[in-house]
């Protein structure tokens, strides 16, 4: 049965782990470095231009934001790796991310976003290692693919697959601008939440 994500809505934003609601529906979590395009991809996936707040300035998502569509919770976690906030704020974000994953939740799918234009970053390697070690189901969404030519996209996918130690079939080229990979991402979510 095809997902109907057109009626997506914002549920709530949480600034502490203690405040996170108990899971009652399948959950799909979005993780990635600051400025990787999490909010933009989430908006494209859910068919809404401004559901998740987008900013040209990294670090806009500072809380754990919950959205709901077709009986599925979409969880937008704070970005990691952004240096232009205080050390205490960075630590709060790290605590939110680790605290979310430490809870008993459904974890149907984690969508780990990685900028396809860059070589593997240490923080991305750490996050994917964590997901792998904890046997959490995940797919890597390689963002901003529209910024590269097709031959360059193919080279970067192969490079990142090796560097991140993630099989090619677990990676998707995506673009919030053109919609590349969005249908396939929806299918992966559908299968994970079935």
């Amino acid at each position: 049965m095809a997902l109907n994500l057109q009626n997506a809505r914002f549920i709530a934003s949480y600034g502490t782990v203690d405040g996170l609601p108990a899971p009652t529906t399948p959950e799909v979590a979005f993780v990635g470095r600051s400025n990787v395009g999490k909010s933009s991809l989430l908006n494209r996936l859910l068919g809404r231009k401004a559901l998740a707040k987008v900013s040209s300035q990294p670090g806009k998502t500072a809380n754990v934001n919950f959205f709901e569509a077709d009986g599925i919770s979409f969880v937008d976690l704070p970005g990691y790796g952004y240096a232009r906030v205080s050390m205490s704020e960075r630590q709060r974000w790290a605590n939110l991310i680790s605290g979310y994953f430490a809870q008993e939740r459904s974890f149907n799918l984690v969508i780990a976003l990685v900028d396809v234009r860059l070589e593997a970053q240490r923080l991305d390697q750490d996050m994917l290692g964590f997901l792998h070690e904890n046997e959490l189901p995940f797919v890597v969404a390689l963002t901003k693919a529209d910024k590269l030519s097709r031959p360059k996209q193919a080279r970067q996918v192969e490079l990142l697959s090796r560097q991140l130690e993630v099989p090619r079939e677990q990676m998707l080229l995506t673009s919030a601008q053109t919609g590349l990979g969005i249908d396939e991402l929806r299918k992966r979510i559908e299968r994970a939440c079935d």
Side-chain angles (χ1 to χ4, degrees):
M1 187 176 83
L3 283 178
N4 177 10
L5 303 180
Q6 299 308 307
N7 294 320
R9 61 195 178 99
F10 173 75
I11 300 295
S13 183
Y14 301 92
T16 63
V17 174
D18 295 343
L20 295 178
T24 56
T25 61
E27 283 186 8
V28 176
F30 291 75
V31 296
R33 288 172 58 85
S34 292
N35 208 29
V36 75
K38 274 191 297 92
S39 298
S40 296
L41 191 73
L42 190 56
N43 285 337
R44 185 70 187 227
L45 180 71
L46 298 176
R48 302 276 293 281
K49 279 195 167 72
L51 189 62
K53 290 188 174 47
V54 177
S55 172
S56 58
Q57 185 179 2
K60 191 68 175 170
T61 304
N63 293 321
V64 179
N65 295 317
F66 280 73
F67 303 89
E68 187 276 331
D70 207 10
I72 298 170
S73 290
F74 292 85
V75 185
D76 188 9
L77 294 164
Y80 48 81
Y82 183 53
R84 287 196 183 153
V85 293
S86 67
M87 184 60 86
S88 62
E89 184 67 353
R90 269 186 283 166
Q91 189 57 53
R92 187 179 75 82
W93 294 356
N95 292 343
L96 278 171
I97 295 167
S98 60
Y100 171 80
F101 284 115
Q103 293 186 340
E104 287 291 322
R105 308 195 75 84
S106 62
F107 300 122
N108 292 72
L109 186 64
V110 178
I111 299 171
L113 285 75
V114 173
D115 190 328
V116 73
R117 302 170 300 172
L118 308 175
E119 289 206 12
Q121 306 289 301
R122 181 74 214 192
L123 289 169
D124 292 327
Q125 291 170 321
D126 291 346
M127 176 54 77
L128 293 171
F130 169 83
L131 296 174
H132 188 71
E133 284 165 29
N134 289 278
E135 299 180 352
L136 294 169
F138 71 90
V139 63
V140 176
L142 298 171
T143 63
K144 307 187 182 187
D146 57 287
K147 310 276 192 218
L148 299 178
S149 66
R150 283 185 188 263
K152 182 74 171 161
Q153 287 174 0
R155 286 196 299 274
Q156 281 298 105
V157 170
E158 292 308 318
L159 174 69
L160 288 166
S161 178
R162 282 195 313 276
Q163 290 178 335
L164 296 170
E165 299 178 9
V166 173
R168 173 65 189 93
E169 61 274 8
Q170 212 169 333
M171 303 178 102
L172 289 175
L173 275 169
T174 67
S175 167
Q177 295 300 314
T178 66
L180 175 70
I182 298 300
D183 287 343
E184 181 57 30
L185 195 52
R186 282 193 188 112
K187 286 177 191 161
R188 303 268 180 125
I189 291 169
E190 214 170 287
R191 285 199 298 269
C193 296
D194 202 7

